[in-house]
Amino acid sequence: MPAPSTHKPLLQVRGVTLQYKTREHLVTATYRVDFEVYRADRFVMLGPSGCGKSTLLKAVGGYMEPTEGEMRLNDEVIRKPGADRMMVFQEFDQLLPWKTVRENVMFALTSSGRLKGKAAEDKAMQYIEKVNLTKFADSFPHMLSGGMKQRVAIARGMAMEPEILLMDEPFAALDALTRRKMQEELLQLWNDTRFTVLFVTHSIPEAVLLGNRILLLSPHPGQVKAELNSDGTDRTLSDGKVLSEHIQDMLFADAIEEESTHG
Amino acid sequence: MAEAAATTIERPEFVRPVETKAYGVVQKPLTAWEKIYDSGTARKTFLLVVMAVAWELYARWLASPLLFPTFGATVKAFWDAIADGVLPHRAWFSIKVLLQGYAIGLVLAALLTAFATATRIGADLLETLTSMFNPLPSIALLPLALIWFGLGNGSLIFVLIHSVLWSVALNTHTGFKAVSQTLRMVGRNYGLTGPRYIVKILMPAAFPSILTGLKIGWAFAWRTLIAAELVFGVSSGSGGLGWYIYENKNQLEIPAVFAGLFTVIIIGLVVENLIFRRIEMRTIRRWGMQT
Ligand SMILES: Nc1ncnc2c1ncn2[C@@H]1O[C@H](COP(=O)(O)OP(=O)(O)O)[C@@H](O)[C@H]1O
Ligand SMILES: [Mg+2]
């Protein structure tokens, strides 16, 4: 039995509306979103492009303030970015190009004040080894392939041992083979250390494979449509359909609704 | 014909093992001639030799050492001036003034850019000032400088600061603005703010642009300094390279004038090709931020 404290959610998102002010418009990216992430969750946010997934993740990261609602990590309201929520982005340029792989991971540890000197280096190398990049520890990011860069970003995020790892479509820009491999590796890493991760994707198979809990968002502006469980195998549901088909149907229903309301 | 084009042609499938050894030439050394021709230094050295020979021949044909001394005479004047220590002394005098102006210019540029990064009004100030002063040739300020600071290094340093400050501040500011949103978010994710954020994230990320500013600033400053010294260069009995050129012209020591120009060129080349090139190799090229 898990201890009672693990029943408390690590991250609580309550009624969060997020808006962008542009020159001409006020764009509502998400509308009154609620969800809770527990420790050791592989919590996936799934939704079509433009539904506000990245925006939500940025808000959890502390880069944006909700116009309505609130977000709490360990009961503390999130107000600014911090090393307890490490971001992994989709863009390959998230590594500091002027630092080697080792220095990139170390710099996260030292500049945030987590560790110093040798301790930081040891920790960095430990996680670089976990993502199988020991041989490339002294390479600069521009010498690495896209997949390797993402693995460094993941190593950097994990080395910080944050409360929660925030991943925004980290594999979306990779080729299919590399993506498959990285998904397997991420699951393997999770099996080793049981970190908490909030993972954003627009790919149904990826959500089904990686998540133990899937939050389904409606198209723009994102609203919570469903929260589903997954065991990573695309299980067959009571109605005979597999999970991914079920999700597909729900997203498809939105598309039809949208067409009929707009048309 | 159309029917024939519409059907695909049946071919047998095949799979074959890929040989991992013995594929003939993968790497073969280039011939000595190919290597020499490939080296930019070799090609440029060749051109320099051709130009020196052309100079020598033309000057001999012209036979007017007062207007146009031979290459040989210029080289001799150059060596003599170096040997008796006059040229190094004058060059050092110029470089000393230049370094002072450059350093003060950099400090001011740093302050201005920091202010511009921190506040919106600072950014407006920087943009307004640079667009006003960047197009103004520094040498045009010399008469004013002479009134304010008198004959001497003060005036030189004032125009040097002017020639460094705007290009460095403008390039740094533009470089900061171009730093990607992702890198900014990464920096803030580590909890970096204020000066630490500027020094550890913005400055290295904008380094290609900053370096461009430094190079342009240097080039402006060097040209401005020589020009200013030509107008006036003596202070406390000593002068720089510009003054050396001017002095020798008055004494009709034309080979020495050429030797002075030679020194100006060489110092410019050394700074641009050795110092800045080296910095570039060790930083932005090594980091893959410029190819
Ligand atoms: N910086 C911004 N300024 C204005 N609107 C934005 C900005 N970023 C995103 N949006 C808008 O917010 C909505 C959600 O965007 P985003 O969170 O990036 O979606 P997703 O990550 O799910 O594809 C979109 O309609 C998008 O156009
Ligand atoms: Mg997105």
Side-chain angles (χ1 to χ4, degrees), chain A residues 20 22 27 29 48-56 58 168-169 220:
Chain A
Y20 288 104
T22 64
V27 181
S49 283
C51 77
K53 306 180 295 294
S54 298
T55 309
L56 259 173
K58 271 184 220 159
D168 190 357
E169 311 206 29
H220 181 92

Side-chain angles (χ1 to χ4, degrees), chain A residues 79-253:
Chain A
R79 292 187 199 285
K80 57 177 191 180
D84 52 355
R85 287 148 287 142
M86 284 298 291
M87 302 274 283
V88 177
F89 300 91
Q90 177 183 343
E91 292 82 9
F92 293 157
D93 74 347
Q94 64 187 300
L95 301 179
L96 310 180
W98 57 93
K99 292 191 181 286
T100 62
V101 167
R102 184 206 313 263
E103 289 166 350
N104 256 289
V105 181
M106 274 177 69
F107 181 65
L109 292 162
T110 52
S111 64
S112 63
R114 292 252 145 152
L115 290 174
K116 279 202 199 93
K118 186 87 180 82
E121 178 160 8
D122 288 347
K123 175 76 76 187
M125 285 314 293
Q126 181 193 334
Y127 279 92
I128 289 169
E129 197 190 330
K130 271 193 201 292
V131 297
N132 301 319
L133 284 177
T134 310
K135 268 198 286 183
F136 296 90
D138 294 312
S139 303
F140 284 93
H142 73 103
M143 303 163 170
L144 307 179
S145 69
M148 285 153 85
K149 286 181 196 165
Q150 295 309 78
R151 297 209 314 253
V152 178
I154 292 170
R156 173 175 75 180
M158 288 183 61
M160 297 283 280
E161 293 172 352
E163 291 286 347
I164 186 167
L165 203 55
L166 308 175
M167 304 178 102
D168 190 357
E169 311 206 29
F171 308 145
L174 299 172
D175 64 276
L177 272 174
T178 313
R179 190 184 315 137
R180 267 321 286 259
K181 196 150 165 278
M182 302 267 310
Q183 290 165 345
E184 300 292 336
E185 284 177 13
L186 186 69
L187 283 175
Q188 191 57 51
L189 286 171
W190 183 84
N191 274 321
D192 289 349
T193 48
R194 305 274 160 150
F195 51 90
T196 313
V197 57
L198 177 53
F199 191 103
V200 162
T201 181
H202 67 258
S203 152
I204 299 174
E206 186 167 75
V208 169
L209 177 70
L210 291 181
N212 65 318
R213 187 89 174 156
I214 302 172
L215 178 81
L216 209 58
L217 290 171
S218 69
H220 181 92
Q223 280 170 278
V224 175
K225 190 156 177 78
E227 247 190 67
L228 307 167
N229 289 319
S230 175
D231 58 7
T233 61
D234 205 0
R235 68 201 158 86
T236 312
L237 305 174
S238 52
D239 62 357
K241 277 196 266 187
V242 291
L243 180 59
S244 54
E245 273 180 301
H246 180 58
I247 295 173
Q248 175 99 43
D249 288 349
M250 289 215 273
L251 290 178
F252 200 55

Side-chain angles (χ1 to χ4, degrees), chain A residues 58 62-63 81-83 85-87 89 91 93-98 104 107-108 111-112 140 142 156 160, chain B residues 180-192 196 200-206 284-289:
Chain A
K58 271 184 220 159
Y63 298 99
R85 287 148 287 142
M86 284 298 291
M87 302 274 283
F89 300 91
E91 292 82 9
D93 74 347
Q94 64 187 300
L95 301 179
L96 310 180
W98 57 93
N104 256 289
F107 181 65
S111 64
S112 63
F140 284 93
H142 73 103
R156 173 175 75 180
M160 297 283 280
Chain B
S180 84
Q181 202 55 41
T182 318
L183 277 186
R184 290 169 188 275
M185 286 170 77
V186 167
R188 290 177 57 207
N189 202 170
Y190 303 162
L192 292 175
R196 280 191 355 125
K200 298 197 163 186
I201 302 289
L202 291 186
M203 279 180 54
I284 54 185
R285 295 221 180 187
R286 196 156 110 91
W287 307 334
M289 294 168 90

